[in-house]
C-alpha cells in the first residue's frame, strides 16, 4: 500500500465523491479493506444509512472547502482523493438545452476541480494521490451523450495537464477509464424518445472499477483502462480513428 509521506495519524485516509452510488459504495468497501479510513461525500441524505458518508454538494465550492477542512481536522491527514461523482445525459445534442449541459459540467468537471483544490494542501503534506474516475468518453467520441462526453473530455484534459504540475509537489494523478458499467448512472435529464442503445460491448461491474482504482493507487499508476472495450477503444481510436468512429456509431445506434 502506497501511503505517501507521513502526516497526521498512522492510518491513510481516502475521500470518495459520489459515495452513495454503485461505484462509490464499492470504493468505500475496497479502500476500507485496503486499510484506509474512508470518508464518502454525496448529496445530503443520499448516503444517510452509511456513517462513512458525509452530506456535501460538490457543486457548492464553499461547502466543499468546509467539508475538506473538517475531514483533515478529524483525521489529521488526507492521502487519496477519488473524484468519482458523475452524471450523464442521454440523447442527441438538440435534445438538451444549455441548462442540462451546464449541470453535467458542474458535477463531472467543476465538482472535481472544487474537491481537488480543497484537498490539495493536505495531499501535498502526505505526498498523496488524486484519482479521477473518468470514462472511455474522456478520450474518444461516443454518440448519444454529447454533454457527458464534453464534461469527461474536460476533466480528463485538466488532470492530464495537472499531472506534471502536481508532481513537483509530490502529488500523483491517476485517470481511470471504465467502459460501460452494469448499473448505469444518474442522468441530468429524462432520456429523449428514440434514444439509441446506451451500452456497447461487455460491461464491467462497479466492483471491477473500485478494485482497479485501489490497485492503481497502490501501484502509483497514471492511467487504467477498465474492461476489454475500454482497451480496444483506446488503441483503435489512436491507430485508426475513422474505423473507431464507424464501429462506435454502428454499435450505439441500434
Amino acid at each position: 500500500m502506497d501511503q505517501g509521506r507521513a502526516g497526521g495519524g498512522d492510518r491513510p485516509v481516502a475521500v470518495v465523491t459520489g459515495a452513495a452510488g454503485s461505484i462509490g459504495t464499492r470504493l468505500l468497501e475496497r479502500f476500507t479493506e485496503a486499510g484506509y479510513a474512508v470518508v464518502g461525500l454525496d448529496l445530503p441524505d443520499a448516503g444517510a444509512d452509511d456513517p462513512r458518508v458525509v452530506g456535501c454538494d460538490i457543486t457548492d465550492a464553499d461547502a466543499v472547502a468546509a467539508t475538506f477542512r473538517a475531514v483533515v481536522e478529524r483525521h489529521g491527514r488526507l492521502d487519496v482523493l477519488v473524484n468519482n461523482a458523475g452524471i450523464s445525459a442521454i440523447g442527441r445534442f438538440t435534445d438538451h438545452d444549455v441548462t442540462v449541459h451546464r449541470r453535467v459540467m458542474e458535477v463531472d468537471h467543476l465538482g472535481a476541480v472544487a474537491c481537488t483544490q480543497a484537498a490539495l494542501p493536505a495531499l501535498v503534506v502526505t505526498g498523496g494521490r488524486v484519482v479521477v474516475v473518468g470514462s472511455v468518453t474522456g478520450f474518444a467520441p461516443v454518440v448519444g451523450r454529447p454533454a457527458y462526453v464534453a464534461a469527461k473530455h474536460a476533466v480528463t484534459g485538466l488532470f492530464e495537464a495537472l499531472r506534471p504540475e502536481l508532481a513537483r509537489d509530490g502529488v500523483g494523478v491517476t485517470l481511470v477509464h471504465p467502459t460501460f458499467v452494469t448499473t448505469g448512472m444518474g442522468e441530468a435529464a429524462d432520456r429523449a424518445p428514440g434514444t439509441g442503445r446506451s451500452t456497447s460491448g461487455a460491461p464491467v461491474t462497479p466492483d471491477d472499477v473500485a478494485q482497479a482504482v485501489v490497485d492503481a493507487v497502490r501501484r502509483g499508476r497514471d492511467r487504467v483502462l477498465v474492461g476489454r472495450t475500454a482497451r480496444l477503444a483506446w488503441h483503435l481510436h489512436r491507430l485508426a480513428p475513422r474505423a473507431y468512429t464507424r464501429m462506435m456509431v454502428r454499435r450505439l445506434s441500434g
Side-chain angles (χ1 to χ4, degrees):
M1 184 196 319
D2 179 6
Q3 298 184 15
R5 296 189 290 265
D10 294 332
R11 192 179 181 193
V13 179
V15 172
V16 176
T17 70
S22 58
I23 295 175
T25 56
R26 294 309 303 157
L27 283 165
L28 297 184
E29 294 304 321
R30 287 295 187 177
F31 272 104
T32 299
E33 292 168 2
Y36 285 76
V38 182
V39 179
L41 306 185
D42 213 307
L43 292 171
D45 300 327
D49 296 334
D50 190 333
R52 296 170 299 184
V53 179
V54 175
C56 178
D57 181 350
I58 65 167
T59 68
D60 182 338
D62 291 337
V64 168
T67 299
F68 276 87
R69 283 196 300 269
V71 169
V72 175
E73 287 173 6
R74 177 181 177 184
H75 294 277
R77 63 187 292 164
L78 177 58
D79 299 79
V80 179
L81 166 63
V82 183
N83 289 305
N84 168 66
I87 57 175
S88 187
I90 307 299
R92 296 170 61 87
F93 178 68
T94 52
D95 291 329
H96 299 129
D97 61 15
V98 172
T99 300
V100 173
H101 284 258
R102 182 179 294 115
R103 179 59 181 165
V104 176
M105 189 68 72
E106 284 175 344
V107 175
D108 296 18
H109 175 59
L110 295 178
V113 172
C115 289
T116 303
Q117 289 186 334
L120 194 54
L123 291 173
V124 169
V125 171
T126 60
R129 181 163 293 270
V130 181
V131 180
V132 177
V133 179
S135 166
V136 169
T137 61
F139 61 77
V142 177
V143 296
R145 60 208 76 214
Y148 183 65
V149 172
K152 288 301 184 181
H153 265 68
V155 76
T156 298
L158 171 66
F159 283 89
E160 293 279 19
L162 284 183
R163 184 181 286 117
E165 179 178 328
L166 298 185
R168 294 197 294 266
D169 294 320
V171 176
V173 172
T174 298
L175 291 166
V176 179
H177 302 287
T179 185
F180 299 98
V181 180
T182 53
T183 52
M185 66 189 308
E187 297 180 22
D190 292 336
R191 294 194 182 191
T195 298
R197 294 178 60 195
S198 60
T199 64
S200 175
V204 297
T205 68
D207 194 58
D208 291 332
V209 180
Q211 187 61 64
V213 169
V214 174
D215 288 347
V217 170
R218 181 182 294 115
R219 300 176 184 180
R221 297 183 63 183
D222 288 346
R223 186 185 315 280
V224 182
L225 303 168
V226 187
R228 180 178 179 276
T229 300
R231 294 189 292 273
L232 175 63
W234 174 267
H235 295 294
L236 185 58
H237 178 56
R238 275 150 181 74
L239 296 174
R242 290 185 178 180
Y244 164 83
T245 300
R246 287 195 299 269
M247 181 181 71
M248 177 269 300
V249 170
R250 183 173 65 252
R251 290 188 175 185
L252 287 175
S253 297

